Each structure stands twice: as structure tokens, then as C-alpha cells.
Amino acid sequence: MLLGAPTAYWAFVAGLFGLCLGSFSTVVASRWPAEQSLVHPRSHCTTCDRTLGPLELVPVLSWLALRGHCRGCGEGVSWRYPAIELASGGLAAAAIAGFGPTWEGLAAALLGVALVPVVVIDLEHRLIPSIIVFPAFALAIAATIAADPARWWVPVAAALGAFAFLYVLWFLYPAGMGRGDANLALLLGAVLGASVLPALFIAFALGAALGVALLARFGARARKMAVPFGPFLAAGALVALWLGPSMIGWYAGTLG
Ligand SMILES: [Zn+2]
């Protein structure tokens, strides 16, 4: 992709798209785990049921303008709505600012926007939303293949390899991992290519560190605590997205 305007312009546009997709993510995070429709009813105040007007649907700004309160009943509106929107917009803008208005940038932006609701829903419900992960995977792998068609097999192999690895772990140890974590690995491999290796390494290292911390704090009770793995995969993916190539280079260098 060769787009004339400066990268900062496209990063701004991506940020706006990210805000709007983040707004959709707040709907998914509230409704998908409860198996409610994503389109009906229209967005409404959860306290007084009043349907929100068009201006109240503007990401972040509407929340700021109303100082976090419903215009009808005055009930507080959770800060999680603007937080999810800002995280989504920020990650999309950062992806385009870092990788440019390119296919790589688009794939990186998709990853960031998808990871926000994945982390929120996994933390709240111990579920990885397939309704987010599979469409993001399909779009992301199309973008990474378009970025380098001659090496189309790299994202394909990384996605399938990462999926198979976590799927086997889930099969062997269903208590420690969910089927959804394997699905999420599919998206990570599609976007990160070879960098999915450091992403998984970081995720398991962080997970192990938390496990040790929980054991130290709670002793035997820690063994019964269910810790969602999605946030660790997301953290590993975002670190590897920016540092993965240099991590692989450093590791290859230490091997001589
Ligand atoms: Zn209300």
C-alpha cells in the first residue's frame, strides 16, 4: 500500500476507527458473554433503559461531555466505556504510526483493536470471544499475506503452529488453558509471524511469575484459583509486535 498523505494523518484516521471499533467492543463485552444480541436493542442506559441518542454514542467525548452520567436518570456511567474506547483507538493509532499506512500496519492495528475486548471479557468471564477472534484472524492473515505474498506461508505456518501448540496444552491440561486461548494464538501467529515465538514465551513467563506470586501469597489455595491466560497472551503479543524481530535477532546472535 502506498498512500500519499503523511503517516501522522493515517495514524489519526486509524485512531478514529479504533475509537469507533472500541465503542462496538464495549457492546460485545456487555452482551456477548450473556448471549444477548449485539444489535437489538439499541444502546441504552442500563439503569433507566432510555435509548441513547446519536450524540451520546460518540466515543469518549459523549462520556466526557456528560461527565460520566446518564442524561436521563443521572446514574453514573462506568469509566470502562471510555477506557475500552481509548485503549482501542490508541493501539490502532500506534500501530499505523509505527508501521506506517501499510498492510503490516493494518494487521498490527487489527491485533490491538481485537485484543482490548478479548482481555476485558477474559478477565470478567474467563472466556475468549470467538466472535472477535475469528473475524480478526481472517482479516489479519489476509493483510499479512498481502504484505509479503511471496512468503505467504510464514503467517499461515505461525498461526497454525501457535494454535496447535496451545491446543495440545489445553488437551493435556484442560484446567490451565481454554480452547479459546488456542483460537487466540491463531490470531497472534497470523499477525506476528515468527515473532509469535517470543510472544508465547513472554506469555508463559508472565503466567509462571503470577503463579509463583499467588503460591507465595495464598499457599495451597492458589492451586484452585482460575487465572485467565488471555491477558498474558495479549501482553506477550503486544511486546513481541514491537520488539519481536530484535528479540529473535538477539537470540539468533547468542547462538553464534
Ligand atoms: Zn439512565
Side-chain angles (χ1 to χ4, degrees):
M1 273 200 286
L2 245 185
L3 303 166
T7 294
Y9 168 78
W10 290 112
F12 180 74
V13 171
L16 292 183
F17 266 102
L19 284 174
C20 296
L21 289 167
S23 189
F24 178 67
S25 293
T26 66
V27 176
V28 176
S30 309
R31 299 190 186 182
W32 183 81
E35 297 184 3
Q36 294 166 348
S37 162
L38 298 181
V39 283
H40 296 289
R42 303 252 323 272
S43 290
H44 56 273
C45 171
T46 51
T47 304
C48 68
D49 271 343
R50 189 178 55 87
T51 299
L52 302 186
L55 284 177
E56 290 171 283
L57 296 173
V58 178
V60 183
L61 291 180
S62 61
W63 190 85
L64 289 175
L66 296 167
R67 293 191 187 81
H69 291 280
C70 171
R71 207 160 46 114
C73 65
E75 191 64 33
V77 179
S78 171
W79 56 269
R80 66 183 240 143
Y81 295 98
I84 288 171
E85 290 162 352
L86 278 177
S88 179
L91 287 169
I96 299 300
F99 294 91
T102 60
W103 291 115
E104 289 94 339
L106 181 62
L110 276 166
L111 177 69
V113 164
L115 286 178
V116 174
V118 164
V119 167
V120 171
I121 293 173
D122 202 17
L123 284 173
E124 291 183 341
H125 302 279
R126 306 288 186 271
L127 288 170
I128 303 275
S130 51
I131 193 173
I132 299 281
V133 170
F134 287 135
F137 163 70
L139 293 171
I141 200 153
T144 44
I145 288 174
D148 192 357
R151 282 158 51 84
W152 60 269
W153 49 272
V154 172
V156 173
L160 293 178
F163 172 81
F165 178 60
L166 289 199
Y167 193 89
V168 167
L169 284 182
W170 168 70
F171 189 78
L172 295 176
Y173 183 52
M177 188 140 318
R179 171 78 197 277
D181 294 311
N183 295 340
L184 181 57
L186 210 54
L187 170 63
L188 266 48
V191 175
L192 299 172
S195 292
V196 77
L197 285 171
L200 292 178
F201 180 81
I202 293 165
F204 281 101
L206 290 174
L210 180 75
V212 169
L214 287 177
L215 270 178
R217 173 79 177 75
F218 298 102
R221 271 189 300 146
R223 292 188 187 284
K224 294 209 160 48
M225 291 178 179
V227 177
F229 195 53
F232 296 109
L233 286 172
L238 290 179
V239 174
L241 178 67
W242 297 100
L243 304 177
S246 52
M247 289 171 79
I248 291 174
W250 173 82
Y251 185 72
T254 60
L255 296 179

